[in-house]
Amino acid sequence: MWFQKEIRLPAVKRGFHLITDLLEAHLPELESINVGLAHIFIKHTSASLTINENADSTVRQDFERHFNHMVPENQPYYRHTLEGADDMPAHLKAAILGTSVTIPIRNGAFNLGTWQGVYLCEHRDNASKRTVVVTLQGE
Amino acid sequence: MWFQKEIRLPAVKRGFHLITDLLEAHLPELESINVGLAHIFIKHTSASLTINENADSTVRQDFERHFNHMVPENQPYYRHTLEGADDMPAHLKAAILGTSVTIPIRNGAFNLGTWQGVYLCEHRDNASKRTVVVTLQGE
Amino acid sequence: MWFQKEIRLPAVKRGFHLITDLLEAHLPELESINVGLAHIFIKHTSASLTINENADSTVRQDFERHFNHMVPENQPYYRHTLEGADDMPAHLKAAILGTSVTIPIRNGAFNLGTWQGVYLCEHRDNASKRTVVVTLQGE
């Protein structure tokens, strides 16, 4: 069984945001899969997806602070600067974190660990809505 | 053909550890797949999986040293500090390296390059056993 | 439907290179898949794959400059130094960016965003040809 749909995510502020519940609400098809995989792919190059801690919001705040430290704005070696100081760092952060996550499906639901959630990582200052392609497969 | 199982990995010290042989020993089902994919997913947010050099142990030691340099403990901007100095860096390293790897299957075995192995990346000082979900599919 | 093939990529200079068109030219089988996934896996530990901006070459140049800054050569803590100053950083960059990308397939083609392309990230100074394993599945 294959299923693919595009989901338009609400625009969010620059930072790291939990979207696990939002994804599940858009994916009633999960319930029909006993064993399978969910592939979630963001169609952008300045936002990304990752999986991390789902409970304490300071984790997500520290992600934003550390990534700004590890991939700073206004580095003298940047040449791609026309779209703003946040643009080139956004491309780099997106590649470091990744464009997609793949999650096992078991008994009609994401088979995540207790403390795991899916993050939408928004790396631009003024981003509009982002689109993800979700591909579900299984039996 | 779909197959999914959880494997409990032995507890390891903080650092980077080869687990290719251990995974293969737990996956006799690989032999029945001619062409397919293996998805290996760790159900934790302070340990991760990656694929890298399988021969020289100094590579794995340098991974530990460089990740400690790139994602240091005790950064003044960390707010999530209650669980110890190694905790927030562990979440960050896990997101940078990733929660899962997907490996092609060919003729009943992982289709890896000669020098490739699967690493369990343990980012906590005192971690217990970690669980991975392995999903095999193919024909 | 499953399909797996190895593609030998041309040798490239150290840096970040768009290979989307090259991959599509080697994959006429894409056309027979309505809904599916393409998994592209590089069989090496000092080169990697990622997805990022496909238009402005300065983005790819800034990737090279930033990764050299974030993962410098000749760090005093490196022990794996026998194969040259570019070797250990190459392993680290490969793990940060990743060994594979998975792309949704829709209507016989990669379902990428408008600005997305696949990058071959060559981290060695004098690399020869690299091999990728492409696994297509779908219906």
Side-chain angles (χ1 to χ4, degrees):
Chain A
M1 185 195 336
W2 283 87
F3 183 78
Q4 189 175 95
K5 84 196 299 179
E6 299 205 354
I7 299 173
R8 196 100 161 120
L9 302 176
V12 292
K13 288 201 299 184
R14 175 167 160 173
F16 292 74
H17 305 271
L18 274 173
I19 58 167
T20 323
D21 291 351
L22 184 152
L23 289 172
E24 286 173 336
H26 279 83
L27 295 170
E29 299 83 1
L30 274 173
E31 287 182 29
S32 60
I33 298 176
N34 190 37
V35 175
L37 290 172
H39 178 253
I40 307 162
F41 179 90
I42 194 162
K43 296 182 87 170
H44 304 270
T45 63
S46 58
S48 58
L49 299 173
T50 194
I51 292 172
N52 214 270
E53 211 258 5
N54 63 10
D56 186 345
S57 62
T58 60
V59 172
R60 299 189 296 281
Q61 295 161 17
D62 285 358
F63 263 87
E64 176 65 14
R65 282 188 279 259
H66 183 71
F67 272 83
N68 290 338
H69 175 80
M70 195 173 72
V71 188
E73 300 191 353
N74 303 308
Q75 291 289 80
Y77 50 76
Y78 292 151
R79 295 290 172 272
H80 182 78
T81 53
L82 275 178
E83 295 173 55
D86 60 322
D87 185 56
M88 191 59 221
H91 291 307
L92 290 161
K93 293 168 182 175
I96 292 167
L97 288 160
T99 297
S100 68
V101 292
T102 303
I103 303 172
I105 301 170
R106 189 79 188 183
N107 296 333
F110 291 149
N111 187 2
L112 291 166
T114 308
W115 303 104
Q116 289 182 308
V118 181
Y119 287 15
L120 167 62
C121 319
E122 176 55 72
H123 306 303
R124 297 302 308 265
D125 287 332
N126 295 295
S128 50
K129 294 177 177 184
R130 302 294 197 170
T131 300
V132 294
V133 182
V134 180
T135 306
L136 306 179
Q137 54 165 326
E139 64 181 13
Chain B
M1 183 196 334
W2 283 87
F3 183 78
Q4 188 174 95
K5 86 195 299 180
E6 298 205 355
I7 300 173
R8 196 101 162 120
L9 302 177
V12 293
K13 286 201 301 183
R14 175 168 160 171
F16 292 73
H17 305 270
L18 272 173
I19 58 166
T20 322
D21 292 350
L22 185 152
L23 290 173
E24 287 173 336
H26 278 83
L27 296 170
E29 300 83 1
L30 273 173
E31 288 181 29
S32 60
I33 299 175
N34 190 37
V35 175
L37 290 173
H39 177 253
I40 306 162
F41 180 90
I42 194 162
K43 295 181 87 170
H44 304 270
T45 62
S46 57
S48 58
L49 299 173
T50 195
I51 292 171
N52 214 271
E53 211 257 3
N54 63 11
D56 186 345
S57 62
T58 60
V59 172
R60 299 189 295 282
Q61 295 161 15
D62 286 357
F63 264 87
E64 176 65 14
R65 282 188 279 260
H66 183 71
F67 272 83
N68 290 339
H69 175 80
M70 194 172 73
V71 187
E73 299 191 353
N74 302 308
Q75 290 290 82
Y77 50 76
Y78 292 151
R79 294 292 173 271
H80 182 78
T81 53
L82 275 177
E83 295 173 54
D86 60 322
D87 184 57
M88 191 59 221
H91 290 307
L92 291 161
K93 293 169 182 174
I96 292 167
L97 287 161
T99 297
S100 69
V101 293
T102 302
I103 303 172
I105 301 170
R106 189 81 189 181
N107 297 333
F110 291 149
N111 188 2
L112 291 165
T114 308
W115 303 104
Q116 288 182 310
V118 181
Y119 287 15
L120 166 62
C121 320
E122 177 55 71
H123 306 303
R124 295 304 307 267
D125 286 333
N126 294 295
S128 50
K129 293 178 179 183
R130 303 293 197 170
T131 299
V132 294
V133 182
V134 180
T135 306
L136 306 180
Q137 54 165 324
E139 65 180 12
Chain C
M1 184 194 338
W2 284 88
F3 183 77
Q4 189 174 96
K5 86 196 297 181
E6 298 204 356
I7 300 173
R8 197 101 161 119
L9 303 176
V12 293
K13 286 201 302 185
R14 175 169 161 171
F16 292 74
H17 305 270
L18 273 173
I19 57 167
T20 324
D21 292 351
L22 185 152
L23 289 173
E24 286 173 335
H26 279 83
L27 296 169
E29 300 83 359
L30 273 173
E31 287 181 29
S32 60
I33 298 175
N34 190 36
V35 176
L37 291 172
H39 178 253
I40 306 161
F41 180 89
I42 193 161
K43 295 182 87 169
H44 305 269
T45 63
S46 57
S48 58
L49 299 172
T50 195
I51 292 172
N52 214 272
E53 211 257 4
N54 63 10
D56 186 345
S57 62
T58 60
V59 172
R60 299 190 297 280
Q61 295 161 17
D62 286 358
F63 263 88
E64 176 65 15
R65 283 189 279 259
H66 183 71
F67 272 83
N68 290 339
H69 174 80
M70 194 172 73
V71 188
E73 299 191 352
N74 302 309
Q75 291 290 81
Y77 50 77
Y78 291 151
R79 295 290 172 273
H80 182 78
T81 53
L82 275 178
E83 295 172 56
D86 59 323
D87 185 56
M88 190 60 220
H91 291 307
L92 290 161
K93 293 168 182 174
I96 293 166
L97 288 161
T99 296
S100 69
V101 292
T102 303
I103 303 172
I105 301 171
R106 189 80 189 183
N107 296 332
F110 291 149
N111 187 2
L112 290 165
T114 308
W115 303 103
Q116 288 183 308
V118 181
Y119 286 15
L120 167 61
C121 318
E122 177 55 73
H123 305 303
R124 295 302 308 265
D125 286 334
N126 295 295
S128 51
K129 294 177 180 185
R130 303 293 196 170
T131 300
V132 293
V133 182
V134 181
T135 307
L136 306 179
Q137 54 165 325
E139 64 180 12

